[in-house]
Amino acid sequence: MSESDGQSTPQDTREVIMEATFRALSKHGYKDLRVRNIGEEMDMSRQVIHYHFDGKYDLISSFLEYIIDQYEGSVEVDDETDPRTELDVRIDRCLFGPEFDDFSHWDRMKVYHELYAYAQNDAEHRALFNEHYDRLRESISTVIEDGIEQGAFRDVDADLMGQLITDVIHAARGRRIALGHEDAPDEAKRAVNDFILDSLYPPQ
C-alpha cells in the first residue's frame, strides 16, 4: 500500500499477482494452470489479472522475468571484495538462494525448472532463459577475469571456466529437483571448490 493514499501501487499489484502465480503453479503445475487458479490465490478480484496481462502466456512471461530479477538482483558485493570471495557469494546464491518471506528457494526453483523444461518448445521463453544463463555465466566469468588481472588467479579461459561453473550449478539444481537428491547443491559446491576454484590459483 502507498502510505500517501492507502491505495495499491502498480508495483504492489504486480507483486501480488506474481506471488499468487507461484502458489498456483506449485499446486497445479504449468500444463494444468488456468488464470482462475491464480485468481483463487489472491484477495484481489481476478479481473485485475486481465487488466494487467493479455492471458496466461503473457502472465507467465512476466512471471519468468520476475523470478529472474529476484535472483539477479540479490547478489551484493562491495569494491573491496576479493575475487574468490565474490565467486563464493555468487555461486552460493545460485545454489542455495536468497531468503524469502514466502516460499523457499527450492519451492521457487521447482517452479523455475518446470518452466525451463517447457521452454524447449517455446522460442520466447527459451530466449528469456538464454538471456538469464548468459548474464549468470558472464557475471562469473567477469570475476575470474578480474582475478586474473589482479594476479590472484592464473591465466585461464575465463569464459569457458564461467560456463563450466554455470553448468555445474544448473545440473545440481536439476538433480535435486528432478531426482530428489537433497545433497546435490552441497556436493556441487564442494566439487566446484576443490576441482575448479582451487585450480585458479597459480602454482606455488
Side-chain angles (χ1 to χ4, degrees):
M1 292 288 187
S2 168
E3 295 182 0
S4 59
D5 57 16
Q7 300 297 312
S8 295
T9 67
Q11 184 61 31
D12 292 333
T13 301
R14 179 176 183 269
E15 185 166 355
V16 167
I17 296 172
M18 295 296 101
E19 291 299 315
T21 304
F22 264 122
R23 292 189 290 274
L25 278 167
S26 297
K27 291 179 181 179
H28 302 281
Y30 176 61
K31 182 179 178 181
D32 295 326
L33 182 70
R34 301 292 181 269
V35 172
R36 68 171 177 271
N37 301 137
I38 300 170
E40 290 166 358
E41 300 294 333
M42 297 167 42
D43 292 331
M44 298 178 178
S45 166
R46 194 173 78 198
Q47 295 307 312
V48 74
I49 299 175
H50 297 290
Y51 177 80
H52 287 279
F53 301 100
D54 294 327
K56 172 184 169 181
Y57 188 83
D58 183 36
L59 171 56
I60 294 300
S61 296
S62 293
F63 177 72
L64 272 176
E65 294 175 350
Y66 176 76
I67 300 176
I68 290 169
D69 287 345
Q70 282 185 324
Y71 280 84
E72 291 189 353
S74 63
V75 177
E76 296 182 1
V77 294
D78 57 42
D79 293 338
E80 302 304 315
T81 303
D82 65 89
R84 176 61 185 265
T85 299
E86 182 172 350
L87 284 175
D88 285 333
V89 169
R90 292 187 178 279
I91 293 167
D92 283 354
R93 183 51 48 93
C94 292
L95 282 173
F96 306 108
E99 296 291 332
F100 293 105
D101 293 333
D102 190 18
F103 285 91
S104 72
H105 164 63
W106 291 111
D107 291 329
R108 291 169 187 266
M109 281 294 100
K110 180 181 177 181
V111 171
Y112 176 96
H113 278 265
E114 181 181 4
L115 297 175
Y116 183 87
Y118 276 99
Q120 62 182 314
N121 297 316
D122 187 313
E124 182 177 333
H125 289 176
R126 187 167 64 249
L128 288 173
F129 281 112
N130 266 314
E131 290 167 6
H132 176 47
Y133 176 91
D134 288 343
R135 287 192 296 269
L136 174 57
R137 176 185 50 77
E138 184 178 353
S139 70
I140 293 172
S141 297
T142 298
V143 180
I144 295 172
E145 289 173 352
D146 290 344
I148 294 171
E149 291 178 2
Q150 295 171 24
F153 297 152
R154 65 186 180 87
D155 189 11
V156 298
D157 185 329
D159 287 335
L160 191 59
M161 186 72 82
Q163 181 176 314
L164 173 61
I165 294 171
T166 304
D167 287 348
V168 170
I169 290 168
H170 275 74
R173 293 195 312 203
R175 185 158 68 88
R176 187 192 188 282
I177 291 165
L179 303 180
H181 296 179
E182 295 192 1
D183 290 339
D186 289 308
E187 291 170 347
K189 182 60 190 300
R190 290 199 302 272
V192 167
N193 282 340
D194 293 348
F195 302 119
I196 301 178
L197 298 187
D198 284 354
S199 76
L200 288 171
Y201 293 113
Q204 299 296 320

